[in-house]
Amino acid sequence: MDSFELQSPPAFDPAFCARLDELFAWRRDVRRFRDAPLDDAPVDELIALACRAPSVGNCQPWRFVKVKSPAARAAVRASFAACNRQALDAYEGAQAQLYASLKLSGLDRAPVQLAVFAEPDPVAGHGLGRATMPETVVHSVVLAIHTFWLAARARGIGVGWVSILEPENVTQALGVPPAWRLVAYLCVGWPEEEHLDPELVRHGWQARADFGRFVSEV
């Protein structure tokens, strides 16, 4: 039997819920990694947990690619550098200076790099639930990424999501099927530092808003 399967539903007591709240609070987008290796075994465990995420029609559209070759990593890094320069050009004055000072990826030191793709029209699921909202395929992959992220944080492993990339170039550089859609490029490893405040809050880019700002009623 799967070691994660239980004979009866678990009971999550207040102490567990409090720790879960802490996990949500301490999940960080890590850009600063220690120069220490991370074996395949814990990464595979995290991917297995990520694949327990919900997916539309149970289509399981996530595709994880371990990026290990120096050539592939160099291509991703070149894409980031080009996109980052272009993004900097869109800002002016003090905001441009602040943007230039931000560390926006861990590509230089992260021991593990994962490209996460969506199979846009998987056979699994037989199309259930996505005919009217095909974007739910990508939403399903995002849920898998978030599951991976929280599970990693609980084990002391850091994850950083690099989005300043050219999806087409990365897809081509990694040699995956051209129909796959790049959803995330993840840097994974041991964090160099621990802090409760998000990196962009800490460096003055954007403060967090109260949740009530995002809630309405009809």
Side-chain angles (χ1 to χ4, degrees), residues 159-207:
V159 178
W161 185 327
V162 184
S163 61
I164 307 173
L165 294 170
E166 302 153 311
E168 298 83 3
N169 289 0
V170 173
T171 299
Q172 184 176 12
L174 301 187
V176 302
W180 286 11
R181 179 174 175 182
L182 180 67
V183 179
Y185 194 89
L186 305 179
C187 293
V188 184
W190 304 108
E192 188 178 79
E193 57 185 5
E194 298 282 357
H195 52 90
L196 181 59
D197 54 332
E199 181 101 4
L200 295 181
V201 173
R202 168 183 277 197
H203 294 285
W205 183 261
Q206 174 69 58

Side-chain angles (χ1 to χ4, degrees), residues 43 47 50-51 61-69 72-73 75-76 107 110-119 141-142 144-145 148 159-163 165-177 180-188:
V43 176
I47 293 174
C51 291
W62 37 74
R63 306 291 184 262
F64 292 85
V65 178
K66 297 178 181 179
V67 184
K68 294 187 174 184
S69 78
R73 289 193 175 195
V76 172
L107 293 169
V112 173
Q113 297 182 23
L114 291 174
V116 189
F117 293 87
E119 166 62 67
V141 178
V142 173
I145 293 164
F148 180 100
V159 178
W161 185 327
V162 184
S163 61
L165 294 170
E166 302 153 311
E168 298 83 3
N169 289 0
V170 173
T171 299
Q172 184 176 12
L174 301 187
V176 302
W180 286 11
R181 179 174 175 182
L182 180 67
V183 179
Y185 194 89
L186 305 179
C187 293
V188 184

Side-chain angles (χ1 to χ4, degrees), residues 207-215:
R208 278 196 177 276
D210 182 82
F211 84 94
R213 177 178 173 183
F214 312 115
V215 180

